[in-house]
Amino acid sequence: MEEGNSAQTSTAFESENSVVGMSQEECTNRIVKSLKHPTVRFLRKHMEQAGCPVWVKLILAANCKRKGVAGGYSTGNGIIVCCNHMSYQDEISQVLIHELIHAYDDCRAKNMDWKNCAHHACTEIRANHLSGDCHYKRELLRGFMKMRGHEQECVKRRALKSVKNNPYCSEAAAKDAIETVWDICYNDTSPFERAP
């Protein structure tokens, strides 16, 4: 999925994880454990209700070549978790939640165009906002110490990091797309009633 498929997105780390990671076997076992996480179960249930069941075989434990990539989602291929970049159960659960939000968006949109910077920006805004990726505790662990307004800054920063890696979106196009869709996408909390 990180090999140039235009219908993809990836979750990036913002600080280097010095640990080598875990074996694919251990990672697979931890993915199975993460499938029991309440938010993962909630997202899978809502995807099924939307007509897009998430089968376990569509979640792949992989060793990823690109540094700083925690996982990814690709239309038709599913979700990858980069085992060699994972150290903790919580990281795997977080990647699954983030990528399931992309999968949910892809399912409900029916016309998601990953080459369209605005489409990609919207799902990145939603995934970073709704997954908990920008919770202040995670931000503190990354070295971002701001207490007020950190969440929206984090969502924009992480969305920009992802969208500008899309080969169809320059950094300027990524910034413009994020600003253009911000209000609509940040406030779209579906399938949650409100941001978790």
Side-chain angles (χ1 to χ4, degrees):
M1 269 179 256
E2 50 179 43
E3 306 297 323
N5 180 342
S6 63
Q8 70 177 21
T9 185
S10 61
T11 304
F13 285 122
E14 291 185 298
S15 61
E16 273 307 306
N17 186 342
S18 60
V19 180
V20 173
M22 58 182 73
S23 70
Q24 283 187 271
E25 180 180 356
E26 180 182 4
C27 188
T28 299
N29 291 336
R30 290 187 183 203
I31 288 170
V32 170
K33 187 175 179 181
S34 287
L35 292 173
K36 296 173 184 161
H37 186 285
T39 307
V40 171
R41 288 178 39 217
F42 175 85
L43 287 165
R44 289 182 69 198
K45 179 182 107 180
H46 281 273
M47 285 191 63
E48 193 165 307
Q49 289 173 352
C52 303
V54 178
W55 297 313
V56 176
K57 69 181 181 179
L58 292 176
I59 301 172
L60 176 66
N63 286 321
C64 301
K65 295 175 188 167
R66 249 174 67 202
K67 288 189 180 207
V69 175
Y73 168 75
S74 176
T75 302
N77 294 318
I79 295 169
I80 62 164
V81 176
C82 297
C83 301
N84 54 320
H85 300 160
M86 298 287 114
S87 300
Y88 307 106
Q89 182 67 47
D90 179 62
E91 292 174 317
I92 293 172
S93 297
Q94 199 62 36
V95 168
L96 285 181
I97 293 165
H98 182 105
E99 302 307 336
L100 281 168
I101 292 168
H102 289 313
Y104 177 82
D105 287 350
D106 198 21
C107 170
R108 75 178 179 149
K110 304 293 186 214
N111 64 347
M112 179 76 97
D113 180 0
W114 294 95
K115 296 177 186 177
N116 180 316
C117 301
H119 287 201
H120 190 173
C122 188
T123 192
E124 287 299 341
I125 289 166
R126 286 177 34 75
N128 284 294
H129 177 51
L130 300 174
S131 69
D133 285 340
C134 290
H135 187 276
Y136 78 94
K137 289 180 185 175
R138 290 186 194 285
E139 281 289 86
L140 288 173
L141 291 172
R142 292 181 190 124
F144 295 97
M145 305 300 206
K146 187 173 180 183
M147 295 303 276
R148 289 181 182 244
H150 79 276
E151 202 267 349
Q152 289 190 10
E153 284 183 16
C154 171
V155 169
K156 285 182 180 180
R157 183 184 71 245
R158 292 176 61 84
L160 177 62
K161 189 171 188 169
S162 183
V163 178
K164 74 181 185 181
N165 283 324
N166 181 330
Y168 298 94
C169 303
S170 67
E171 185 167 351
K175 284 180 183 177
D176 288 346
I178 290 166
E179 290 304 317
T180 300
V181 302
W182 177 260
D183 288 335
I184 292 168
C185 300
Y186 185 82
N187 291 308
D188 178 1
T189 60
S190 184
F192 303 97
E193 287 183 25
R194 57 181 165 72

